[in-house]
Amino acid sequence: MKTIIAHKELQDSLDDLRVGKSSIGLVPTMGYLHEGHLSLIKRAKLENDIVVTTIFVNPLQFSATEDLDTYPKDIEKDTLLACEAGADFLFIPSQQEMFCDDVLTSISIAEISSILEGVSRPTHFAGVATVVAKLFNIVGVCSAYFGEKDWQQLHVIKRMITDLSYRVEIKGCPIVRDADGLALSSRNMYLTEGQRKEASNIPRSLLKAYDLIKSGERNSTAVKQLIIAQLEKSTEIGIDYVELVNGETFKVADRIDDETRVLIAVKIGKARLIDNMSALNGPNI
Ligand code: AMP
């Protein structure tokens, strides 16, 4: 695996490989890699000749009150893990490399960016989309791998691809979870031991909701109330939102059908955590 800091060097290397018709898989991350990230790299490796993993803690996607300065980093460990998982290139650009002195361009995807996550984080998806667009422009034609953990982000990126005709195929990958069902996240490291135990209430609430749906319940309000009641058992958890929406259009789903997605965001200690599941298939726990 080759670590690259300059985007021009990455472009030149990939151009050379494309001459030989190599297919390229791209896995954008903010680093502090865990098994969730590694599952994306491994799948990209299975489906492509060459895998590019990127690590960039993107300041554009953090608001002034968020954790940009404390976001965890371990480049040495990430390098080892990315290499073991099958990455061929690890692109770790500096801020200067990505934006020169300033970035004046912003890509915003209307409607879908201002609901759910976008209510608490109004500038978040424009920040994500702008940097992901730049990575797509650097890497060129590729398949890009994103986790279903960030369900709304996955759909924001899909919409950008459609609207702007990027020659990128988006592949959504299942959520990787800890033994108790908590979705892996770099931000889980913010949790104290006690908060980590309480956090298992998040997957538990999804499982309970799934049990209710399996028993025949199709009223979204009843399912939402059950999830809220389960989350509220923990005094450490502050609910940001619990919503049932159409997983493609993001329209609120009053009745549950096979397109309904259950989406949760909570604050616990210093961490803001999200999770989701298909209402009819349940969480993959
Ligand atoms: P991040 O470093 O948090 O920006 O995540 C980089 C990519 O990894 C995104 O596409 C995430 O959706 C994905 N990802 C993060 N956590 C998980 C997880 N537990 N399971 C699957 N994918 C994940």
Side-chain angles (χ1 to χ4, degrees):
M1 186 184 77
K2 186 165 186 205
T3 298
I4 292 185
I5 287 163
H7 77 271
K8 184 75 177 66
E9 188 188 347
L10 180 63
Q11 276 175 325
D12 289 346
S13 305
L14 296 178
D15 282 351
D16 289 347
L17 288 161
R18 270 202 197 88
V19 174
K21 304 245 180 295
S22 294
S23 59
I24 293 166
L26 170 66
V27 182
T29 81
M30 296 208 298
Y32 210 69
L33 302 182
H34 51 63
E35 286 297 331
H37 300 115
L38 301 182
S39 72
L40 271 50
I41 299 174
K42 286 175 189 164
R43 174 150 168 222
K45 188 66 182 179
L46 276 179
E47 297 179 359
N48 299 276
D49 301 317
I50 299 292
V51 175
V52 180
T53 300
T54 69
I55 296 180
F56 182 61
V57 181
N58 169 19
L60 300 183
Q61 71 185 68
F62 290 77
S63 74
T65 56
E66 288 180 340
D67 55 342
L68 174 62
D69 295 335
T70 54
Y71 198 82
K73 286 187 185 63
D74 191 341
I75 290 295
E76 249 173 62
K77 189 170 168 211
D78 285 353
T79 305
L80 254 168
L81 292 175
C83 181
E84 276 170 18
D88 299 282
F89 293 98
L90 184 60
F91 180 49
I92 316 183
S94 62
Q95 283 244 31
Q96 177 71 14
E97 177 64 27
M98 281 298 266
F99 300 132
C100 296
D101 289 323
D102 204 358
V103 57
L104 299 179
T105 304
S106 178
I107 296 186
S108 65
I109 293 93
E111 296 180 14
I112 186 175
S113 294
S114 54
I115 54 173
L116 299 162
E117 286 297 285
V119 174
S120 300
R121 313 181 79 192
T123 58
H124 174 68
F125 287 125
V128 171
T130 304
V131 161
V132 169
K134 188 164 172 105
L135 293 173
F136 289 167
N137 287 328
I138 293 170
V139 172
V141 176
C142 65
S143 296
Y145 295 77
F146 290 87
E148 289 182 351
K149 182 172 87 75
D150 299 273
W151 185 261
Q152 195 176 352
Q153 168 177 284
L154 175 64
H155 286 76
V156 166
I157 301 294
K158 279 186 178 171
R159 186 61 201 233
M160 178 179 82
I161 295 283
T162 306
D163 286 356
L164 299 182
S165 304
Y166 275 95
R167 291 170 64 178
V168 173
E169 197 177 334
I170 299 298
K171 310 270 189 154
C173 305
I175 301 175
V176 177
R177 298 174 178 281
D178 234 333
D180 65 345
L182 182 67
L184 295 184
S185 164
S186 306
R187 289 188 168 99
N188 289 352
M189 66 84 74
Y190 294 146
L191 303 174
T192 63
E193 210 177 304
Q195 289 163 349
R196 175 63 191 80
K197 275 192 195 137
E198 298 284 315
S200 61
N201 251 334
I202 303 166
R204 201 171 301 131
S205 72
L206 288 177
L207 275 175
K208 285 208 162 180
Y210 181 47
D211 281 345
L212 182 63
I213 295 165
K214 270 193 301 189
S215 74
E217 183 63 75
R218 290 293 177 270
N219 180 313
S220 293
T221 306
V223 172
K224 190 167 152 175
Q225 277 167 356
L226 183 76
I227 294 174
I228 291 172
Q230 180 64 36
L231 292 172
E232 282 178 343
K233 285 185 183 167
S234 165
T235 52
E236 293 276 359
I237 291 180
I239 299 173
D240 186 345
Y241 60 78
V242 174
E243 288 297 348
L244 282 81
V245 300
N246 179 294
E248 299 299 316
T249 65
F250 288 82
K251 291 216 165 64
V252 171
D254 295 326
R255 301 278 308 163
I256 290 168
D257 62 29
D258 58 0
E259 289 193 337
T260 306
R261 203 85 196 171
V262 182
L263 300 161
I264 295 179
V266 303
K267 276 279 288 185
I268 172 161
K270 286 192 200 135
R272 185 173 179 284
L273 302 179
I274 56 175
D275 204 340
N276 70 85
M277 69 170 183
S278 150
L280 290 190
N281 296 328
N284 54 341
I285 298 173

